[in-house]
Amino acid sequence: MGEGFRIPKEAYPELPRLYTYDQIFFGYGYGRGRMLMKSNGVADVSRGLEGRVAGVQVPNVYGARAPSLEGHVAGVQVQNELAMQEESVLLSYDGEDEMFVELSANEDIKEAAVDQKNLDKVILRESDVKTALWQPMLTSDDKGNISVEFEAPNFNTTWIAQAVAWDKKMTGSTWMAEVLTQKPLMVRSNMPRFLRQGDKATLAATVQNATDEAAACDAVIELFDPRTNVVYATRKFNLALDPMGSEAVTIDWQVPDTMAMVGFRIKAANSTFGDGEQVMVPVLTTISPISPVIETQPFYVEAGEGHFEQPLPKFPKDARVTLEYCDNPVWYCVLALPTIFSDQYNVATHAVHSLFALQVAQGVAKEQPQIKEAVTYWKQHNEDSTLVSMLQKNQDLKIGTLLASPWMRDADRQTLRMSKLNELFDDAIVKKEYEKIITALQSLQMGDGGFTWFRYPGCKSNAWTTGTVLELIGEIKHLGYLPEDSRLTSMVNRALAYYDAENVRLFNEAKKYSKEPYGLFTGYAYTRSLFPEVKQQSSASADLFKKTLKYMDKNWGKGITLQQKAYYAMTLNRNGYQKTARSIVESIRQFAIVKPSLGMYWDNLQTDYGWWEFDKVAYTSTILQAMNEIDPRQQEIDLIRKWMLLMKQSNDWGSCSLAADAVYSILSTGSHWLERATLPTITVAGEPVNLDKMAQYVGYFRTTLSATTAGNVVIDRTASGPAWGAVYSQFKAPMTEIKEKAIEEVSISKEYYVYAQDGSLHKTDAFKVGDKVKVRVIIKTNKDMDFVTMTDERAACFEPVDQLSGYRSEDNTWFYQETKDTQTNVFINSLNKGTHIIGYDVWVTNPGEFTSGIATIQCQYAPQLTAHSAGKMIRAVEQ
């Protein structure tokens, strides 16, 4: 049997007695993988090769050498790719060889026809062997030689053999070698991951001669039913292979519509050697194999519109039709009230933001008493799903499941935030949290009146931190929600004294390097304008304030953003410059875009950092407040509110003070949208729709319609606010018959580009096997959307270049790309308004005609925002 693993006894005299399976572990991996050293099982005997390895030397603990492996196992060549090393061993074999059948050398080889006798003796192997793991029984002799018996899978590949040994002192060593297992004559199939019914595919395999001499052989390909073993198609070959050469064998096949799986069998043999392999390929239906096609028709009912009609489209006969309607979407803004009570009050900005959120949310809720009534009702009726994240609602109307997305934590966070809405009305909780915030702010205020961002040894007051605290407290006061508290009044007065003095100091420094330093202190002027009742100012700070106002009066049109203009307008309006303030508002108005379907909004909202914040909704909220305060026009105010409301439809506003500010802007400006009205009367094709009790507060409901329903959805309502809804159609259809479906809010289409040798891309629909193709998905949206899912159902001839899923960035869009067997999924946290191109690379692996599915995009926050591309046939030819 030869020598086994050897470790010098003189170095480890006790080691032979320690050899057990707990002291030495073996493992095999193949291809690009490397396997674990310890395993818990033995490979499948029915497909395996039982043998005994002897004479493999384990290097000593000093790392003396790493031997190579070269030998034969019953005619199966086992050789190391690192052939430059001289050490070699023989792999002895005891048992039946299932990898290879040695045929009689006396049998005649028929050149003109297949010798079926040779082919029948070939034992087939499965091609899905990925790894071989074993924990062998180790047998040692008194010299430290180890013999190991194991079972190796019947597979032609490169394996990585590993072993580790140690003694009682935990001194050990490792050994690893790459081992190539191959046969003199080998076959290897090249199958796609799947096929679709109706595909016309050329299925291929390779027959390889691994010897240094020319060889002739017979080969046969069979397509069969794995359940009954009935053969569908057969093709036979007579091959003459060059030394170390190979040849591809193929069979053309049109996939029928009557099977879910096809078996592919390839055999090759001559009078001396033989090999065989079979694989199973799933056959998918072309009728929406992953999920039904979803088409939507969203609609919006304008505020005050009492009668509304929406024509129904024509539905496929087997469609599942859903009508969704919400009579008062403003309630979604109420549900976005930031109810998170963070206990991280050790940071001044966090503490004051929490105070802002708490007071604004509580103030709005108290001004609208029906909010408390609704929240109390929802709390008492657990079957209602109103206080649940939009990501968790209406799963049956979405193209993917939440569990398969990267947004589980977002959904849990949003649900937790919404479930705490009732705490806004719990006086004990509000009082307790308020006291925590005040105590935290007092501890963060320094002796000079300024605030430090974080309390630490040697910390000092900071002008920016102090300004942020004052600004948010001033906003609360300006909105009328600041409680009467002597502690707050004292903090504000001390902080203003520091803020005045510090800005004067900074101004004196700025004069040294700027001729017009007043432009740097517009934020100071805005914050100071929030406290007109505090008259105590030094002459220097009062002079700075007045001259900054004059600077703003003269320079408001010179290179500032719309958000800054809004703050300029409010600052000047509160300090006697009403005419200029109206001019600024008019300037803002001229930059607005007005569309009946979207409302009134601004596209040129720069994302600047500073006291004016950097969120698009917050920007618009600031503009809305400025226009409402200075020059309110009912129609314009309602159009801006409409845009913000539609933004809430497809976006998560989070749990910060910016959301509370936006909610307050919508609810406190323009016409009154939140009042409760009688339930609307809804008829579909003349038949009334019954509304349940859950609709009495938000007016939301959904119902299923018959696919044969034709006519109009008619809504008669008395509510003064707007409403929205959608009609969903979910159906199955052959992919090639599906036409592109877009809605006003979003559209999606696909294009294919082939890489040239120089790396350039060329648009084409003609492909060759071996081409590297860029699949480009073009997405167009007229609004921002959060939590967007895109799925693209690939053709069977496309094999993804990126096999691993992960985060990617393309066209300035970050997304998580998931590669699956039949489709590529893309998850986008935030998709901005505009045109986006997202692509992924594939290889063309098989010739033929293949069905390419549709690409679908959907906002998981608002599933009514759904669009899909058209299906088509992909044709690929041999090079």
Side-chain angles (χ1 to χ4, degrees), residues 30 52 61 66 224 250 507 535 628 644 687 715 771 856:
Y30 90 99
R52 180 176 293 114
V61 294
F224 63 96
T250 63
F507 174 75
K535 304 296 185 181
N628 187 68
M644 295 179 66
E687 295 295 326
I715 303 172
D771 281 347
T856 305

Side-chain angles (χ1 to χ4, degrees), residues 780-792:
K780 297 180 180 179
T781 174
N782 68 358
K783 64 186 298 186
D784 297 342
M785 295 189 294
D786 289 341
F787 308 111
V788 177
T789 297
M790 188 275 290
T791 64
D792 182 23

